[in-house]
Amino acid sequence: SKTRFYINAWMDPVDLDIGGFKMRIGNRLENKVAVGGARFLVDLQVAPSPSVLIDIGGAFDIPMLDSYGYLNVTLNADIFSFSAGIDLFGGALSSHVNVTWNWDLTFFRME
């Protein structure tokens, strides 16, 4: 028999409006706008053979502040990949990171 932990969840985009202050939460950025629904997939299996799959994606935008950000995490039998970024006030403050490697360590990249 299998021993497995499985979550496959996503949500519709969320539009928040608090006294005219608007924020959108979604899956990814397109032209500085969060679109799609945030994604959360985790599939862990112990038996009969161990395996793991993780795929998480999310993004936000705040038009009033000309600010936006994103996060993506992927982990599977071949690679681990993490990317995240935030741009605040039209890019006046900005930070981005990307890290990827494969498990046999023939590929590693961080920027």
Side-chain angles (χ1 to χ4, degrees), residues 42-62:
V42 175
D43 188 359
L44 305 173
Q45 182 173 300
V46 177
S49 61
S51 67
V52 62
L53 170 63
I54 297 174
D55 186 13
I56 301 169
F60 75 91
D61 72 83
I62 306 171

Side-chain angles (χ1 to χ4, degrees), residues 3-64:
T3 303
R4 184 178 188 197
F5 176 78
Y6 181 79
I7 298 173
N8 186 7
W10 60 93
M11 64 183 204
D12 292 334
V14 175
D15 290 303
L16 303 172
D17 186 345
I18 303 169
F21 184 83
K22 296 181 181 185
M23 177 178 183
R24 183 178 184 104
I25 300 171
N27 175 266
R28 66 191 180 284
L29 291 173
E30 288 183 8
N31 298 316
K32 303 179 184 181
V33 175
V35 298
R39 168 78 180 205
F40 185 80
L41 170 64
V42 175
D43 188 359
L44 305 173
Q45 182 173 300
V46 177
S49 61
S51 67
V52 62
L53 170 63
I54 297 174
D55 186 13
I56 301 169
F60 75 91
D61 72 83
I62 306 171
M64 181 183 288

